[in-house]
Amino acid sequence: MKDRMNPDISPEEAKKLSAGPLGAELAKFPLRFATPVFFGDLPPTSRPEKINNGTASLIDFGQGPLAITCCHVLDSFKEQLESGERCLFQLGECRLNPIEQLISEDEELDIAVIKLTKEQENEINKDTQIGSHFFKPCSWPPTPVSENDFIAFGGFPGKWRTQINSAALEFGTYSSGASRVETVSDTYFVTQFEREYWIQSLGEKDAIDLKELGGLSGGPAFISRGLSFEFAGIIYEFSSDYELLYLRHSNILDSNGQINRV
């Protein structure tokens, strides 16, 4: 995870803080409200390439549960359907047809919103720390993100997807508890990885050296506002050449889940 939540302290002091319980909790937080998205055939061991995955942010603005992901994730699913392949789609352990429940999408912004039923919400929620809740903002819209803010984000990189058997997959998690915002525009903001300041505060996999982050698309980002966290953005792109993570401002969404460009 990123270790510089407070820009007024030295990297050495921040590393000490991040190595303790605070760092672990910050890194875990976004994963509570994220679940893996995967689609394709449940393959035999010899064909793991037939499964694709992304991430969905689990949000409830007060009008029912929503799963927010990226259009390019759903586009890949649509292509498989149109090719005539047998194809399933799941959010965690919940199987559904996202096209039938899609309530809002914007190809240019690369955001898609899926309306879920209460029964589907219960299927997705498990008694675990990952994907255990739908985030319910105290108010909406949130305070805009600014340069030098620190965000916590998370998701499920395809590189860490493991096929346990012919009918089961396991998804490793990737998260950062304090990643500094470098650039802010009207519709997106950017955080740049600064690996020289990182430490690993939880997990067994070597997250610090992971370069391939395909699968994080749709993952949530949060920002601490003192007494509470705000849902700040949705991951939609990672530039491996420059190690830049691009996120859409969450305030493009109305409280009913509709995308608002105004």
Side-chain angles (χ1 to χ4, degrees):
M1 63 160 281
K2 201 70 158 291
D3 65 337
R4 298 198 304 166
M5 177 61 90
N6 186 340
D8 296 325
I9 64 176
S10 70
E12 291 73 20
E13 292 172 315
K15 284 184 178 182
K16 290 180 182 179
L17 289 173
S18 296
L22 172 63
E25 289 307 311
L26 288 171
K28 288 177 185 177
F29 186 81
L31 298 173
R32 294 175 59 195
F33 311 102
T35 194
V37 174
F38 62 98
F39 55 92
D41 285 327
L42 282 178
T45 304
S46 61
R47 294 179 56 195
E49 73 278 1
K50 296 297 288 184
I51 286 288
N52 296 288
N53 81 270
T55 301
S57 300
L58 304 177
I59 309 294
D60 187 341
F61 295 112
Q63 300 186 43
L66 304 172
I68 304 167
T69 190
C70 291
C71 282
H72 74 257
V73 174
L74 292 189
D75 287 345
S76 296
F77 172 66
K78 292 176 186 177
E79 288 172 6
Q80 290 193 26
L81 287 180
E82 291 169 0
S83 70
E85 296 182 43
R86 184 180 70 87
C87 191
L88 61 83
F89 184 100
Q90 286 190 206
L91 295 171
E93 296 186 17
C94 177
R95 189 171 299 182
L96 71 156
N97 184 335
I99 311 306
E100 294 177 351
Q101 297 179 223
L102 188 67
I103 62 168
S104 186
E105 64 178 331
D106 190 305
E107 292 283 350
E108 184 178 348
L109 296 178
D110 200 9
I111 295 297
V113 183
I114 302 166
K115 179 74 172 180
L116 302 174
T117 66
K118 187 64 178 179
E119 292 72 24
Q120 289 168 335
E121 177 185 15
N122 293 336
E123 279 191 80
I124 293 169
N125 284 171
K126 297 296 178 184
D127 189 19
T128 61
Q129 292 186 336
I130 298 172
S132 59
H133 293 84
F134 282 69
F135 184 77
K136 297 181 178 181
C138 297
S139 62
W140 198 256
T143 304
V145 173
S146 301
E147 291 182 10
N148 295 318
D149 279 344
F150 285 84
I151 59 169
F153 67 83
F156 303 88
K159 187 73 173 178
W160 285 350
R161 185 182 70 235
T162 302
Q163 184 181 338
I164 299 173
N165 55 51
S166 61
L169 298 170
E170 182 176 75
F171 293 88
T173 62
Y174 186 98
S175 63
S176 171
S179 190
R180 185 162 59 89
V181 175
E182 297 283 348
T183 304
V184 177
S185 82
D186 290 342
T187 61
Y188 69 90
F189 59 96
V190 182
T191 180
Q192 183 165 31
F193 287 10
E194 299 172 292
R195 296 179 189 267
E196 69 271 24
Y197 296 116
W198 287 11
I199 65 167
Q200 187 162 323
S201 60
L202 74 163
E204 299 177 358
K205 296 181 184 290
D206 194 355
I208 293 176
D209 295 327
L210 182 65
K211 304 289 187 179
E212 299 177 34
L213 294 181
L216 261 66
S217 294
F222 297 92
I223 187 167
S224 174
R225 296 298 188 191
L227 297 178
S228 64
F229 279 86
E230 289 187 338
F231 174 44
I234 307 107
I235 298 167
Y236 71 94
E237 185 179 347
F238 178 69
S239 169
S240 57
D241 290 339
Y242 300 101
E243 298 221 287
L244 299 173
L245 190 72
Y246 292 81
L247 304 97
R248 291 294 177 205
H249 291 289
S250 60
N251 60 16
I252 64 169
L253 299 172
D254 290 335
S255 59
N256 58 7
Q258 296 295 318
I259 296 170
N260 184 359
R261 281 178 167 270
V262 178

